[in-house]
Amino acid sequence: MDLAFTPGEQAFREEARAWLAAHVPTASLPSLETAEGFAAHRAWEAELAADRWSVVDWPVAYGGRDAGLVRWLLFEEEYWAAGAPGRVGQNGISLLAPTLFDHGTEEQRARVLPPMARGEVVWAQAWSEPEAGSDLASLRSKAVRTDGGWLLSGQKTWSSRAAFADRAFGLFRSDPDAAKPHQGLTYLMFDLRAPGVTVRPIARLDGKPAFAELFLDEVFVPDADVIGEPGQGWRIAMAATGNERGLTLRSPGRYRAAADRLHALWRDRGGPDGMRTRVADALIGARAYQVFTYAAASRFLDGASLGPESSLNKVFWSEYDIALTETALDLLGAEGELADTEWAERYVFALAGPIYAGTNEIQRDIIAERLLGLPKGRR
Amino acid sequence: MRLVLDDEQRAFTDSLESMLTGADTPSVVREWSRGEHGSGRALWSRLAAAGVFALAAPEEYDGVGVRPVELALAFTALGRHVVPGPLVETIAAAVLLPTPDLVKRLVSGETLATVAYGGPYALDGDAADLCLVLTPDGLHAATGHGPVRPSLDPARRLTTLTPGALLTSEPPLAKALLLARLTTAAQALGVGLALLDQTVRYVRQRTQFGVPVGSFQAVKHQLAAAKTALEFARPLVLAAAVTLDPADVAAAKVTAGEAAYATARTALQLHGAIGYTAEYDLSLWLTKARTLRTAWGSPEECRDTVLSAGDPHC
Ligand SMILES: Cc1cc2nc3c(=O)[nH]c(=O)nc-3n(C[C@H](O)[C@H](O)[C@H](O)COP(=O)(O)OP(=O)(O)OC[C@H]3O[C@@H](n4cnc5c(N)ncnc54)[C@H](O)[C@@H]3O)c2cc1C
């Protein structure tokens, strides 16, 4: 048992740190939830990709460095510590790419992954529907067989950044007669600018317009854009979520950096006594999340799959993020009310954490039933 | 970077766990609470034979050198089984004492030690063979102990000590304090894990409204929250054992202490009235969770340590 990094890992960390110091924009980019910010972030993704820092753990063939999980974690620590911009490509990178690695064809990987790594094609996740939130398997959008492909119809909603994104991936009901809701679903990729697609932006809590609902009217998708076997969509879509939720959606580096900045803010400003406890707890939480992830990564590298354990992770970071950002706003006092600060933006984003990626109520059910073995109750 | 147990560490934990499972620790605790130390001392000897106290002493004193990871694992097991007595204090004494013969007797389990540090009370002064007092001058042997005062945890018996002869003016205080905090954190983690296990077992078999109470979502979610808190405390305790960084140890102490205490509250609530009775064994863990939270550094003292550290993590 040790926490030391190998000389190779250290060297990798140093190389990342040096590159970031030379390239991270000195002024922060406009919010990636706006049209202007989206464009600026795409340019940043391209700059990262040019020197192979956009997807360090991917194979070299697709634009990565084959760096592995531990180096990815180190890269993320350096990335956020350097104050680098949020990643506009994250949904594609953390949700679609792992699925293509496991279930896609070689042709799909070669076609989809390199432009994703460069930010040329930004992906939106089209899972939720107006009547299918937590009960995702009740989704009704359908895929109907046609010559050489499928016709998609229905409505998707709450799709992050779909207002500006290029393509989307989602689940569709291809066999309306299947015995169970989880069966007869097909996982497909489609173009957000294809004929038959209408994208309607929805303002988020802070009024930013990147969220969207999608109306689909017989949108053609070629067979080449079906992921895995038709009818197997549920299994394929869910396969990536466990390890992804558990290890790669929210890296500890992000929180480590934020907690250190909060600590610095508190040292600068002080604050009433109660703030001491909250700032200390933010530092402690960041360390807890960091070493929890190191332990999970160690088990993962030993061949364990994380499965339901990833629900612990989701509940932890989402609640932690809110506590951290609330503490910052409270420390800022009257200035904490200003909406155009980084802490305010972070806070508004944090508020959504317990809702997306499976609500925390659903995660607690998973923890109780699958990790603690409690009996299933009514759903 | 490999934050997982190796085979030897797993085997050590398993053998300690199975020994303690067979030891009927609840009745040992109940005797200890009454001031009857016989069964506790017998168990103490078995812990010594299993090598627990050797984990804090150098080889020339019959120990195996300081092994913080194994200490953390051992104390998690001791917490799980609510073993009574000045366990943490004996580890601290093994680090503090300058005299090989005394340390050898701690390692062999022949001698129980207690230490008063930072407050008026020492744990189990009436049961200990060796009572130590830390003052600004150094480490002293105590001349005697005052009357036994009850703790919120009936298994913890508190006494004042009177400092006597100076044993050393420069004891390795910082190191002893780190190990005491680390082992207290590990013990708290074990207490919390045991409380969670017992409560999960209980709500699976307790039926109301025609179904197990564990099938109610309000019940499940409280237990899921306890599980989450404990599972984030566990790697902090191990990481602190690996680095022995004061901020890491303090973070582990706060997190394990708070997680165990919150789990105790949940455990009591979900057991209903039976959980509130002294005769039901759950009470032995409930009261310990409260007292370990403040032993060897209150949450606030530990948070201060975290805040005053620079940025030791990268
Ligand atoms: C910022 C943000 C970004 C998002 N991005 C995307 C995206 O890119 N793509 C996408 O597809 N979706 C996205 N979503 C949607 C998200 O996945 C859903 O909001 C989520 O699945 C919950 O569904 P719902 O909002 O319909 O709530 P509902 O499922 O209607 O739930 C409402 C409340 O009831 C609770 N509840 C429901 N069922 C149960 C139960 N069985 N037990 C206990 N409580 C229950 C929920 O926990 C919640 O508190 C995003 C959401 C947000 C807020």
Side-chain angles (χ1 to χ4, degrees):
Chain A
M1 172 127 66
D2 74 281
L3 278 167
F5 296 101
T6 64
E9 287 161 351
Q10 283 295 356
F12 175 86
R13 188 202 274 282
E14 298 296 332
E15 190 188 347
R17 184 179 296 176
W19 188 90
L20 290 160
H23 291 82
V24 169
T26 43
S28 54
L29 305 183
S31 164
L32 60 78
E33 308 291 343
T34 64
E36 182 204 7
F38 207 85
H41 279 77
R42 265 189 207 270
W44 167 247
E45 302 278 314
E47 194 176 342
L48 274 173
D51 288 331
R52 292 183 177 271
W53 292 110
S54 70
V55 284
V56 296
D57 53 325
W58 287 14
V60 173
Y62 305 125
R65 292 174 174 245
D66 231 337
L69 189 55
V70 172
R71 282 180 171 80
W72 176 79
L73 286 167
L74 296 182
F75 173 75
E76 285 279 306
E77 287 180 10
E78 293 304 319
Y79 187 88
W80 299 106
R87 299 292 303 275
V88 76
Q90 62 175 329
N91 267 0
I93 291 169
S94 72
L95 278 166
L96 177 58
T99 305
L100 291 180
F101 283 125
D102 289 348
H103 300 279
T105 62
E106 189 46 52
E107 184 279 325
Q108 287 173 332
R109 287 190 281 268
R111 172 164 54 93
V112 171
L113 297 177
M116 182 194 288
R118 293 190 297 266
E120 279 165 29
V121 175
V122 175
W123 289 82
Q125 179 201 10
W127 287 20
S128 304
E129 296 184 5
E131 306 301 329
S134 299
D135 185 12
L136 179 63
S138 70
L139 63 88
R140 293 199 290 227
S141 293
K142 57 187 192 208
V144 178
R145 202 85 187 85
T146 187
D147 255 8
W150 301 79
L151 293 174
L152 309 184
S153 297
Q155 186 184 350
K156 295 286 179 178
T157 191
W158 314 129
S159 190
S160 291
R161 294 173 290 281
F164 311 121
D166 307 293
R167 305 201 74 204
F169 52 96
L171 284 164
F172 292 84
R173 195 162 295 288
S174 50
D175 178 4
D177 301 323
K180 291 194 178 136
H182 303 74
Q183 296 166 358
L185 299 176
T186 296
Y187 204 20
L188 300 120
M189 301 179 273
F190 59 97
D191 206 312
L192 285 169
R193 292 183 201 95
V197 180
T198 308
V199 178
R200 193 183 76 83
I202 305 171
R204 307 189 315 172
L205 205 55
D206 57 357
K208 298 208 174 83
F211 230 15
E213 57 186 338
L214 314 173
F215 300 90
L216 307 171
D217 182 14
E218 302 208 325
V219 178
F220 177 75
V221 172
D223 282 325
D225 279 345
V226 173
I227 307 172
E229 292 296 308
Q232 296 297 309
W234 184 262
R235 196 179 55 77
I236 294 163
M238 291 306 128
T241 58
N243 284 329
E244 182 266 335
R245 193 156 53 206
L247 280 173
T248 53
L249 182 64
R250 291 285 177 266
S251 73
R254 178 191 278 258
Y255 302 109
R256 173 87 261 158
D260 288 340
R261 283 176 50 224
L262 178 71
H263 191 193
L265 183 71
W266 175 76
R267 278 184 168 155
D268 283 355
R269 304 202 168 215
D273 246 17
M275 300 308 292
R276 250 186 125 64
T277 301
R278 294 168 62 190
V279 174
D281 284 348
L283 288 170
I284 292 170
R287 181 61 170 163
Y289 189 48
Q290 186 179 37
V291 294
F292 178 90
T293 307
Y294 288 164
S298 304
R299 289 195 300 276
F300 189 73
L301 294 171
D302 282 351
S305 80
L306 300 180
E309 275 187 55
S310 60
S311 295
L312 297 168
N313 199 58
K314 159 76 209 310
V315 169
F316 186 87
W317 64 249
S318 57
E319 292 187 345
Y320 172 77
D321 202 13
I322 293 181
L324 172 87
T325 51
E326 278 176 343
T327 304
L329 294 195
D330 287 350
L331 265 179
L332 288 167
E335 271 170 69
E337 188 184 331
L338 297 174
D340 56 357
T341 64
E342 267 176 59
W343 280 116
E345 169 129 15
R346 240 202 113 96
Y347 167 71
V348 172
F349 185 60
L351 286 179
I355 300 172
Y356 66 78
T359 69
N360 284 9
E361 284 72 28
I362 299 297
Q363 304 309 317
R364 289 196 179 93
D365 277 353
I366 295 173
I367 294 167
E369 289 169 12
R370 294 177 57 199
L371 293 178
L372 295 177
L374 292 171
K376 268 190 176 291
R378 256 190 68 77
R379 271 288 178 284
Chain B
M1 189 284 294
R2 248 186 81 76
L3 200 57
V4 282
L5 303 184
D6 62 30
D7 291 344
E8 216 174 298
Q9 289 164 335
R10 230 182 286 271
F12 172 65
T13 315
D14 290 349
S15 72
L16 203 53
E17 278 286 339
S18 66
M19 187 267 269
L20 289 167
T21 304
D24 188 15
T25 48
S27 61
V28 176
V29 176
R30 291 185 188 285
E31 283 168 23
W32 191 273
S33 317
R34 293 194 295 266
E36 298 160 16
H37 300 127
S39 61
R41 296 215 50 140
L43 179 57
W44 198 278
S45 303
R46 295 176 68 191
L47 291 175
V52 170
F53 304 112
L55 296 170
E59 275 174 52
E60 58 280 23
Y61 294 7
D62 296 345
V64 293
V66 175
R67 301 274 287 271
V69 173
E70 283 73 11
L71 271 175
L73 296 172
F75 273 75
T76 306
L78 297 176
R80 256 187 196 280
H81 296 274
V82 281
V83 175
L87 293 155
V88 170
E89 291 67 18
T90 293
I91 296 298
V95 175
L96 290 168
L97 282 169
T99 29
D101 54 321
L102 283 179
V103 177
K104 285 182 182 174
R105 276 192 258 147
L106 297 181
V107 169
S108 71
E110 210 183 315
T111 296
L112 272 69
T114 191
V115 186
Y117 166 72
Y121 301 112
L123 179 60
D124 294 315
D126 61 326
D129 313 293
L130 178 63
C131 294
L132 302 170
V133 183
L134 280 160
T135 71
D137 304 337
L139 182 71
H140 300 255
T143 53
H145 67 81
V148 172
R149 306 269 317 259
S151 150
L152 280 172
D153 173 13
R156 287 170 65 89
R157 295 159 55 86
L158 304 175
T159 51
T160 52
L161 302 176
T162 318
L166 182 71
L167 297 174
T168 167
S169 58
E170 283 179 351
L173 186 56
K175 187 169 187 189
L177 185 59
L178 275 181
L179 287 184
R181 271 194 184 166
L182 176 70
T183 47
T184 308
Q187 209 180 349
L189 174 64
V191 167
L193 292 169
L195 282 163
L196 179 61
D197 283 352
Q198 291 172 56
T199 310
V200 165
R201 228 177 299 135
Y202 183 76
V203 300
R204 282 165 59 98
Q205 56 86 22
R206 171 74 174 170
T207 304
Q208 291 292 291
F209 303 99
V211 292
V213 295
S215 65
F216 297 124
Q217 214 174 37
V219 169
K220 281 183 188 169
H221 286 195
Q222 291 188 56
L223 290 169
K227 171 81 175 163
T228 308
L230 290 166
E231 289 306 330
F232 276 84
R234 193 200 297 266
L236 263 181
V237 169
L238 290 178
V242 171
T243 65
L244 277 194
D245 175 310
D248 269 353
V249 172
K253 174 76 172 62
V254 175
T255 308
E258 301 299 66
Y261 182 57
T263 304
R265 295 282 318 278
T266 298
L268 173 56
Q269 184 64 24
L270 298 187
H271 274 80
I274 196 170
Y276 194 70
T277 60
E279 71 191 56
Y280 192 66
D281 283 345
L282 187 78
S283 63
L284 309 177
W285 282 265
L286 291 175
T287 50
K288 195 167 294 301
R290 174 73 218 178
T291 52
L292 291 180
R293 196 172 163 262
T294 34
W296 290 98
S298 69
E300 285 317 308
E301 286 170 85
C302 291
R303 286 186 175 106
D304 276 344
T305 306
V306 170
L307 283 171
S308 56
D311 184 10
H313 306 303
C314 298

